[in-house]
Amino acid sequence: MASMLARLQSKVTQASQFVAKHGCTYYKQMLEQNKQYIQEPTSVDKCQLLANQLLYTRLASIPSRYEALQKEVNSVKQLWKNRQQLRIENTGIAALFGLECYAWFCAGEIVGRGFTITGYHV
C-alpha cells in the first residue's frame, strides 16, 4: 500500500510539474484559437445579457422540442398497435437499446456512489 501511495505521489508531482511548465502556453494558445468567442469589453452586464439570451433561446425552443417528442411518441404508439407485424430484428434492436439504457443508468449510479458497488466506502 505504501508503494502505491509513493507511486501515486510521484505521478501527481510529475503532472503538476508538467502543468506548471506548459499550462501558461496552452492557456494562451487556447485563448488565441477561440478569440472569436470572447466578448469585448468584458463586464458583468455583458455576461448577464449573454446568460439571459441563452436562457430565453432555450425556452423558445421548447415548443419545437415538444412537437418532436409528440411525433416520436406517436410513432412508438403506432409500432405498439402493429406489434404483431414487427420483425424479430426490430424487436432485438429495441431490446438491446433498452438494455443499453439500463446499463448506463446502473453505471451512473455506481459513479454517483463514488465507484463503489454497495455504496459503502472502505
Side-chain angles (χ1 to χ4, degrees):
M1 185 70 172
S3 66
M4 286 180 52
L5 185 59
R7 277 189 281 160
L8 179 63
Q9 187 177 14
S10 73
K11 292 287 186 183
V12 168
T13 303
Q14 288 175 354
S16 64
Q17 288 172 350
F18 181 81
V19 168
K21 187 175 183 181
H22 301 290
C24 188
T25 306
Y26 174 74
Y27 176 75
K28 289 178 182 177
Q29 179 185 5
M30 181 186 62
L31 284 181
E32 184 63 31
Q33 288 175 348
N34 297 298
K35 66 182 173 186
Q36 72 268 18
Y37 302 115
I38 298 173
Q39 290 291 319
E40 293 293 338
T42 57
S43 68
V44 174
D45 293 334
K46 189 65 171 178
C47 291
Q48 188 61 45
L49 173 67
L50 291 172
N52 285 340
Q53 285 176 338
L54 177 63
L55 172 69
Y56 290 110
T57 301
R58 296 286 177 138
L59 287 175
S61 70
I62 289 176
S64 62
R65 291 180 186 192
Y66 183 73
E67 288 174 13
L69 174 66
Q70 288 296 345
K71 287 180 185 177
E72 290 292 328
V73 168
N74 289 336
S75 174
V76 170
K77 285 181 181 178
Q78 192 64 28
L79 281 174
W80 187 252
K81 285 181 183 176
N82 300 327
R83 65 184 174 268
Q84 288 81 17
Q85 298 173 355
L86 283 178
R87 295 193 330 250
I88 191 71
E89 293 88 7
N90 294 341
T91 308
I93 290 171
L96 283 174
F97 178 74
L99 184 64
E100 182 181 4
C101 289
Y102 180 73
W104 277 110
F105 170 77
C106 290
E109 286 290 315
I110 291 169
V111 169
R113 287 192 301 261
F115 294 98
T116 59
I117 300 298
T118 60
Y120 297 109
H121 294 284
V122 178

